[in-house]
Amino acid sequence: MIGLDLSLTCTGVAGEGWTDIIRPRTGMRGHPRLAFIVDQVAIHIRNADLVVIEGPSFGGGVAHRHEDLAGLRVMVRHACWRRGIPYAVVPPSCRALYATGKGSGSKGAVRDAVRTRYGIECDGPGRYDQADAYVLLAMGLHRLGWPLSVVPDSHRRGLDGCQWPDVEGLAA
């Protein structure tokens, strides 16, 4: 199982007990940047049985990046499909709700929850991306019946409203 918090500048990646980031070099743009990120994601997902991807945020952000970011999400989902790996799409509010109990939980609160609940330290560049990816991983494992930790009912509601694939027969 792999959790992915996709970004054009710093993608968070998580597996059970670890996190990583994918950072294109400064100045990389357009197709070369998209290809780099997708190639690196493909390395991380190669043995996954399920990939949990954060979906789009329709709040703030910079309008000129929306198209490339949407393209990246489609390219990563296509990479999963080509490899026969089922994927889930989790809205950011569901990720925050699962981590903090509030759909509007801040990036810092999500990071703190990952440290407290799972014992995973997310520091340095990409710390929030890593924390988000770890929560996505935890949500996927919980969905399969293998929660990494006890999660309050108020938080567990974050599993609702996500686009989950048919995962019958998958083992965590």
Side-chain angles (χ1 to χ4, degrees):
M1 170 103 42
I2 296 292
L4 294 173
D5 178 31
L6 297 172
S7 166
L8 296 171
T9 57
C10 187
T11 289
V13 183
E16 191 172 349
W18 62 268
T19 64
D20 198 358
I21 56 173
I22 298 169
R23 292 187 74 172
R25 71 180 185 280
T26 303
M28 188 180 273
R29 300 277 185 265
H31 290 286
R33 174 167 61 181
L34 295 173
F36 173 81
I37 296 168
V38 172
D39 289 347
Q40 294 300 304
V41 164
I43 292 167
H44 282 88
I45 68 170
R46 70 182 176 268
N47 295 318
D49 292 318
L50 177 65
V51 175
V52 184
I53 304 167
E54 186 167 286
S57 171
F58 296 108
V62 180
H64 71 276
R65 289 190 295 209
H66 285 301
E67 187 170 337
D68 279 355
L69 187 53
L72 176 61
R73 282 192 296 271
V74 169
M75 292 170 73
V76 167
R77 292 191 326 249
H78 186 74
C80 291
W81 174 80
R82 288 192 64 153
R83 290 162 178 79
I85 302 169
Y87 61 86
V89 178
V90 173
S93 61
C94 291
R95 185 242 327 125
L97 178 60
Y98 187 85
T100 70
K102 296 165 93 175
S104 61
S106 71
K107 293 283 195 178
V110 170
R111 179 177 167 234
D112 292 346
V114 168
R115 179 186 315 114
T116 302
R117 186 170 291 123
Y118 307 111
I120 299 294
E121 295 290 335
C122 299
D123 295 314
R127 61 191 170 273
Y128 302 124
D129 308 298
Q130 292 173 61
D132 286 352
Y134 207 82
V135 171
L136 296 167
L137 162 81
M139 292 176 78
L141 288 169
H142 195 148
R143 174 71 177 184
L144 291 179
W146 298 93
L148 289 176
S149 180
V150 174
V151 178
D153 289 339
S154 58
H155 294 50
R156 199 173 303 128
R157 293 179 301 129
L159 296 171
D160 302 331
C162 302
Q163 296 172 15
W164 297 105
D166 177 16
V167 292
E168 188 175 327
L170 285 183

